Amino acid sequence: LERQLLTCTPDKDAIAFSHIEIQQVLYEGLSSLKRRLMHREAGEALERRYPPEPHQRVEALAYHFLQAGELEKGLLYCIQAAMQAKSSYASQSALYWYSIALDVMDQLGQDNVSPQQRFELLLAREQIYNDQGNRHAQNTDLTALQNLAQALNDPAKQAIIHKRQSTYEHGMNHLSEALTEAQTGLIAARQSSN
């Protein structure tokens, strides 16, 4: 504070760097181990400060725990951030956090991630791509979802994906393919007693 590297915020509730470059220079001077430890401390401090309402800071919590290398905890907050953004109709933010969560799942590996959870995240992201009209990305997610539904051998999930694929084909004006997907989805739904 005396050297004016830090300043008090107007509400006197926090201290901030007086210039962003000061923060960056100090951060870059830290070893990777020290950075991870600082991010873990920051995440834990945020959890302590907002224990009954962590949703107020889920994005910051996700960021700090991922930077700390605590992937499981970071994944939990990524999913919460994505769902919070989706419920607020912040599609770009939801898309970002769903994508980060799926990347973290890849890093954790199949042994540490539930295929059902991966399915739900892909399904949510595919819906955002559909809403945005991003057909290429939507098609990529639909392919991944089809593969996952087949691997899970779950007729209900297969029915959902055939319905989504039908919607996609309809949007692309491929009406015969849309009809085929809808009929296949109906067969899968009947097999699941749904």
Side-chain angles (χ1 to χ4, degrees):
L1 288 171
E2 288 176 9
R3 294 181 187 166
Q4 297 180 344
L5 297 176
L6 301 172
T7 59
C8 289
T9 58
D11 57 6
K12 305 284 187 209
D13 190 32
I15 295 176
F17 286 98
S18 58
H19 197 279
I20 190 71
E21 288 179 12
I22 295 170
Q23 179 181 359
Q24 186 139 0
V25 167
L26 292 173
Y27 186 77
E28 289 173 0
L30 298 173
S31 69
S32 61
L33 175 61
K34 184 65 175 169
R35 285 183 195 176
R36 286 195 313 271
L37 291 173
M38 289 180 70
H39 281 291
R40 181 184 307 148
E41 288 176 23
E44 290 171 351
L46 284 171
E47 283 181 322
R48 283 191 304 273
R49 183 162 183 184
Y50 300 98
E53 299 177 6
H55 64 276
Q56 291 182 354
R57 300 283 184 201
V58 289
E59 290 182 359
L61 286 161
Y63 171 77
H64 285 299
F65 284 117
L66 291 177
Q67 292 298 313
E70 296 201 17
L71 299 181
E72 292 89 357
K73 211 170 201 180
L75 176 61
L76 172 73
Y77 287 119
C78 282
I79 293 169
Q80 289 179 22
M83 291 176 11
Q84 184 175 320
K86 186 177 179 186
S87 69
S88 301
Y89 301 102
S91 298
Q92 280 306 117
S93 182
L95 192 59
Y96 172 80
W97 287 111
Y98 280 128
S99 297
I100 295 293
L102 288 162
D103 289 344
V104 170
M105 285 182 166
D106 289 341
Q107 291 176 43
L108 288 170
Q110 293 178 347
D111 295 338
N112 299 314
V113 175
S114 156
Q116 288 81 4
Q117 188 178 38
R118 182 174 187 77
F119 183 88
E120 294 301 323
L121 293 181
L122 275 168
L123 199 63
R125 187 172 76 174
E126 183 272 335
Q127 181 63 54
I128 294 171
Y129 285 140
N130 179 60
D131 294 345
Q132 292 180 338
N134 187 341
R135 299 298 174 226
H136 178 71
Q138 180 186 12
N139 191 39
T140 301
D141 276 1
L142 282 169
T143 301
L145 282 161
Q146 286 173 341
N147 294 335
L148 193 52
Q150 287 175 355
L152 290 169
N153 197 23
D154 184 340
K157 287 185 176 20
Q158 291 170 358
I160 291 168
I161 298 312
H162 286 296
K163 179 190 177 298
R164 294 282 183 100
Q165 187 70 42
S166 176
T167 302
Y168 169 80
E169 297 295 348
H170 186 267
M172 297 295 288
N173 209 23
H174 302 152
L175 301 182
S176 62
E177 291 89 343
L179 180 59
T180 301
E181 288 293 338
Q183 290 170 335
T184 306
L186 184 58
I187 292 167
R190 287 183 180 144
Q191 289 175 346
S192 71
S193 302
N194 185 343

